[in-house]
Amino acid sequence: MHEQLLLILGLLLIVMMLVMLAQRIKIAYPIFLVLAGLGISLIPGVPVLKLDPEIIFLIFLPPLLYEAAWYTSWNDFWKWKRTIGLLAFGLVFLTSIVVAFASQALIPGFTLAMGFLLGGIVSPPDAIAATTVLKGLKVPKRTIAMLEGESLINDASSLIVFRFALAAVLTGAFSMQEATGQFFLVAGMGIVVGIAGAHVFYAIHKFLPTTPAIDAALTVMTPYILFLSAEHFHFSGVMAVVSGGLFMSFRSHEIFKTGTTRINMTGVWNTLIFVMNALVFVLIGLELPDIINGLGETSVMEGIKYGLIISVIVIVVRLLWIYPVAHIPRWLSKKVRRDPSPGWKNPLIIGWAGMRGVVSLATALSIPVMMNDQAEFPLRNLIIFITFVVIFVTLVFQGLTLPLIIKLTKIGEIDPILPSHEQQAGIQIKLDDLAINRIQEKYQESIATNSLVENLQKNLENDIKLNQSHLSSLEMCSNRKDDVKEFNDIMLDIFAMQRKELFKMKREKLFNDDEIRKAESQLDLNELRITGNKHL
């Protein structure tokens, strides 16, 4: 037990060091961690890690999906639902079909059912890899919204394809009509379970006397309970977590009413998701020796050849699919043409961002070792190895070249979206206006008798003037982006000096530590308005 605990802690420490190194050399950490895990696994004497797919699905998948759903804009998701649906369902099914027939023709001993099994495994791109690679790059909001929306539900469609293909391999029987009906039942009831469970947790948060710590703990429990509840009835746990996460996120302003609760939850989830993301990608690389040892009669070179061909297929199919999805609806509908055209750059970036990851590997590992008649599952280890090659090629090759493609295309915003700082100033003006009106309507007498209330009104009026002046300055500097950048740099420098001053106050014990921490939190919020949420 002590040795296992030490191994886990040592692995976590190595992962943290690798992430810091990835940041230093400016490579997206999922790519770097897979390469590092592969390198570490080749060192003589390193323990061989065997991943239990049930652990991957149960421990990692629910919170990763829930967090993705939580930060997904429902408005953007609904606005681009057509494209998201065609990617998350249409592309997954098309990829599965093409891979199925290609692998049957390419790989000796592969049946069509086994081809669909492989297709279901390698069809869904990994959300974490794409968003991590794109973080910090100038990519249109529409692109991010579509990729995030696709990643929320493509795991569900691919896992359903995998389940039906696995059943066909195990039983030798398959009915398209039955599979189609089961698909809608499994996905639809998963959504029902997710929304029903989310209503239960919504009531707990809203009507029971919770604390910030309890609220944070409940949010960590929620995805696991939603996932297990749906899977217990053989429905889609993925759809349950995604639908429940979207519901809770949309209603979060009603149940998490204090800043302390929200800040506490943000800290808990940032840490949890960072550790899970980082750990899961290095585990992919560490798993390779065990995968190679299980190849049996198939040589490593043959496995690599098959994996490279399947990798090319999934990349090409995605690129060929994305352009009709982007443009054909515009030819058929006037309503769709109201939105600015995506051109050729946006589909290219979405198409090239189809990197595979942990869900594909975990799904492959979940293939049973034995058939129903106790015979060995045919070509199981080869399927797992091909999956690893597809993950490696798409993650490393596409992940490393995606920033270069974005730079070469010089893509800008497609839709008319105001810059973040202008939106923040506009929001604050409206909030301050609301506060002043409230004071004047309800607390008019207090203005005359309470100097604190009088000062509050004056401060709000000054804030409105300051933000209006800021917007006017931004309008004047709209063609001078260097001025905005210089202003932001100055503010960040001021915040850094203020932090040093707060540390000095703390060291000299000039003020209470709790009050200094509150001032530090306010500085963090002020900085966030400039930098945005760039946590890992």
Side-chain angles (χ1 to χ4, degrees):
M1 178 64 73
H2 288 85
E3 291 180 358
Q4 291 177 346
L5 179 60
L6 187 61
L7 177 62
I8 293 171
L9 292 174
L11 183 60
L12 284 172
L13 181 60
I14 291 171
V15 166
M16 302 304 157
M17 296 297 181
L18 290 172
V19 171
M20 288 187 278
L21 180 58
Q23 291 177 324
R24 174 70 67 177
I25 61 179
K26 296 183 178 179
I27 293 179
Y29 75 84
I31 301 170
F32 189 75
L33 288 179
V34 169
L35 292 171
L38 179 58
I40 293 170
S41 69
L42 300 177
I43 299 174
V46 172
V48 176
L49 294 180
K50 293 187 177 182
L51 300 181
D52 185 341
E54 295 299 326
I55 295 295
I56 293 291
F57 277 125
L58 182 59
I59 301 300
F60 291 94
L61 194 57
L64 292 176
L65 286 171
Y66 192 77
E67 194 258 358
W70 189 274
Y71 287 107
T72 295
S73 166
W74 173 253
N75 292 330
D76 289 341
F77 182 88
W78 188 252
K79 180 178 181 180
W80 306 114
K81 60 185 180 296
R82 182 192 64 259
T83 303
I84 290 171
L86 289 170
L87 290 172
F89 293 103
L91 181 57
V92 164
F93 296 146
L94 177 63
T95 303
S96 299
I97 292 170
V98 175
V99 169
F101 283 97
S103 57
Q104 182 193 26
L106 174 70
I107 305 172
F110 241 63
T111 65
L112 190 60
M114 292 170 63
F116 273 103
L117 189 71
L118 178 60
I121 291 169
V122 300
S123 56
D126 183 85
I128 305 158
T131 53
T132 306
V133 171
L134 292 173
K135 191 168 290 182
L137 300 175
K138 293 182 178 180
V139 181
K141 295 286 192 298
R142 182 192 296 195
T143 306
I144 299 296
M146 289 179 177
L147 288 173
E148 289 179 344
E150 176 196 7
S151 67
L152 279 180
I153 50 180
N154 64 5
D155 291 337
S157 55
S158 64
L159 288 173
I160 291 171
V161 172
F162 171 79
R163 283 181 179 179
F164 290 130
L166 181 60
V169 175
L170 293 174
T171 63
F174 179 77
S175 169
M176 178 60 72
Q177 183 178 358
E178 181 181 349
T180 303
Q182 283 292 313
F183 170 81
F184 287 106
L185 176 65
V186 168
M189 291 305 297
I191 294 173
V192 170
V193 171
I195 294 177
H199 273 89
V200 173
F201 281 98
Y202 170 83
I204 293 173
H205 284 292
K206 186 169 184 178
F207 300 113
L208 295 183
T210 59
T211 65
I214 292 174
D215 279 326
L218 284 171
T219 60
V220 174
M221 294 166 56
T222 301
Y224 290 109
I225 293 175
L226 296 178
F227 186 85
L228 290 171
S229 299
E231 291 292 323
H232 175 74
F233 296 104
H234 304 290
F235 301 141
S236 173
V238 172
M239 293 305 294
V241 172
V242 169
S243 58
L246 286 171
F247 175 85
M248 292 293 287
S249 175
F250 189 73
R251 307 297 288 272
S252 61
H253 64 285
E254 300 177 23
I255 52 180
F256 305 126
K257 297 180 179 179
T258 66
T260 303
T261 299
R262 287 189 293 272
I263 291 174
N264 188 51
M265 282 175 51
T266 300
V268 169
W269 274 93
N270 284 356
T271 304
L272 176 66
I273 296 302
F274 163 71
V275 171
M276 285 190 167
N277 283 343
L279 192 58
V280 96
F281 279 104
V282 79
L283 287 174
I284 292 176
L286 290 172
E287 181 71 8
L288 181 62
D290 190 53
I291 296 173
I292 293 176
N293 292 335
L295 276 179
E297 297 179 357
T298 307
S299 69
V300 173
M301 292 308 298
E302 283 181 315
I304 292 175
K305 181 185 74 172
Y306 298 145
L308 289 175
I309 293 173
I310 299 299
S311 299
V312 171
I313 289 173
V314 298
I315 292 172
V316 171
V317 168
R318 183 176 177 89
L319 288 171
L320 292 177
W321 177 258
I322 189 65
Y323 279 97
V325 166
H327 292 285
I328 289 179
R330 296 183 59 81
W331 302 341
L332 302 176
S333 171
K334 290 183 178 180
K335 183 179 179 182
V336 177
R337 286 197 294 272
R338 294 174 188 170
D339 295 318
S341 172
W344 63 270
K345 298 178 181 179
N346 191 60
L348 176 63
I349 292 171
I350 293 176
W352 202 250
M355 293 161 275
R356 274 59 181 175
V358 64
V359 173
S360 293
L361 182 61
T363 307
L365 290 170
S366 69
I367 298 173
V369 178
M370 308 297 289
M371 299 279 283
N372 291 343
D373 59 1
Q374 299 306 307
E376 287 189 4
F377 195 99
L379 301 178
R380 176 182 185 272
N381 292 316
L382 178 58
I383 294 173
I384 296 174
F385 185 78
I386 291 173
T387 302
F388 180 87
V389 175
V390 172
I391 293 171
F392 188 84
V393 170
T394 56
L395 187 61
V396 176
F397 173 61
Q398 288 185 284
L400 289 177
T401 54
L402 184 58
L404 178 62
I405 290 174
I406 293 171
K407 183 178 180 181
L408 291 176
T409 56
K410 298 179 181 178
I411 189 169
E413 277 294 349
I414 303 170
D415 304 293
I417 299 175
L418 286 175
S420 176
H421 44 271
E422 291 189 39
Q423 294 189 54
Q424 287 292 330
I427 290 170
Q428 195 58 52
I429 287 173
K430 289 184 177 294
L431 293 177
D432 288 343
D433 269 333
L434 181 67
I436 289 175
N437 291 335
R438 183 70 169 180
I439 291 172
Q440 292 176 344
E441 289 174 4
K442 193 172 181 179
Y443 305 104
Q444 187 65 45
E445 293 182 4
S446 299
I447 296 174
T449 59
N450 189 325
S451 59
L452 291 174
V453 178
E454 182 182 8
N455 286 332
L456 173 61
Q457 178 176 273
K458 291 179 180 178
N459 288 336
L460 289 170
E461 291 171 348
N462 289 334
D463 284 344
I464 290 175
K465 291 178 182 178
L466 181 63
N467 279 307
Q468 287 174 336
S469 175
H470 181 60
L471 286 175
S472 298
S473 299
L474 287 172
E475 188 175 346
M476 291 173 61
C477 298
S478 59
N479 296 321
R480 297 164 58 190
K481 295 181 180 179
D482 290 343
D483 286 3
V484 177
K485 184 179 183 303
E486 182 184 22
F487 170 78
N488 289 339
D489 290 342
I490 291 172
M491 291 305 300
L492 293 175
D493 180 59
I494 290 172
F495 294 153
M497 294 301 297
Q498 287 174 331
R499 280 197 183 87
K500 291 180 181 179
E501 184 64 24
L502 287 172
F503 178 75
K504 181 180 178 182
M505 293 177 190
K506 184 176 182 179
R507 188 179 56 196
E508 295 176 354
K509 301 179 181 179
L510 296 176
F511 301 97
N512 186 281
D513 283 358
D514 288 339
E515 301 308 318
I516 291 177
R517 275 193 289 270
K518 290 178 184 177
E520 287 174 332
S521 296
Q522 186 58 52
L523 275 180
D524 292 338
L525 294 174
N526 291 339
E527 181 175 320
L528 193 64
R529 295 180 64 180
I530 293 177
T531 62
N533 192 357
K534 294 182 180 179
H535 67 275
L536 285 172

